[in-house]
Each structure stands twice: as C-alpha cells, then as structure tokens.
C-alpha cells in the first residue's frame, strides 16, 4: 500500500540521517587504515549506511563501541 511505501521511505531516510550523523561525529575515531579504503570506495556506495558499515567492518568495531575506548 502507499502507506507502507511511505513508512519504508521514512525508515530508509532516518537510517541514512543516523548514519551520516554517526560518520560526522565519529569519522576521526576510526583508524586511518579503516577510513582510507572506505573513503576511496565512497563514490561507489549508494548510501551513508554502506560507508558506515564499511569503516565499522574494517575497524572491527561499531560506532557504539568507539565511545567506550
């Protein structure tokens, strides 16, 4: 239904905004060795969520863990 599509769109946009905010606040906390390859690939990503996942995987952490180190 149209309402379901609208909700899915809103959820997607909220996830993108959350990922962008996380990247802006935490980018420098990720090791350069994790950031560099992801930044080089960023033009191929379709979303901030993909970029965030890339640096999290390469760093072996997630954003929630960064504040505890």
């Amino acid at each position: 239904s149209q309402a379901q599509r609208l909700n899915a769109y809103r959820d997607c946009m909220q996830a993108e905004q959350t990922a962008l905010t996380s990247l802006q606040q935490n980018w420098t906390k990720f090791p350069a060795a994790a950031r560099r390859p992801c930044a080089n690939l960023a033009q191929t990503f379709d979303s901030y969520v993909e970029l965030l996942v890339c640096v999290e995987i390469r760093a072996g952490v997630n954003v929630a863990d960064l504040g505890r180190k």
Side-chain angles (χ1 to χ4, degrees):
S1 76
Q2 186 172 357
Q4 289 172 322
R5 286 192 301 274
L6 181 58
N7 285 337
Y9 175 79
R10 286 181 182 153
D11 290 346
C12 180
M13 294 307 294
Q14 179 62 44
E16 285 298 312
Q17 185 59 52
T18 299
L20 174 59
T21 299
S22 276
L23 286 165
Q24 290 170 329
Q25 292 175 347
N26 298 297
W27 184 254
T28 59
K29 295 177 186 175
F30 286 106
R35 294 189 319 251
R36 195 174 304 112
C38 294
N40 290 339
L41 291 171
Q43 64 190 7
T44 66
F45 295 145
D46 292 325
S47 75
Y48 293 114
V49 173
E50 288 178 289
L51 178 57
L52 180 59
V53 170
C54 179
V55 292
E56 286 178 337
I57 289 171
R58 288 186 177 273
V61 298
N62 64 40
V63 168
D65 293 334
L66 289 175
R68 292 185 222 142
K69 292 190 172 194

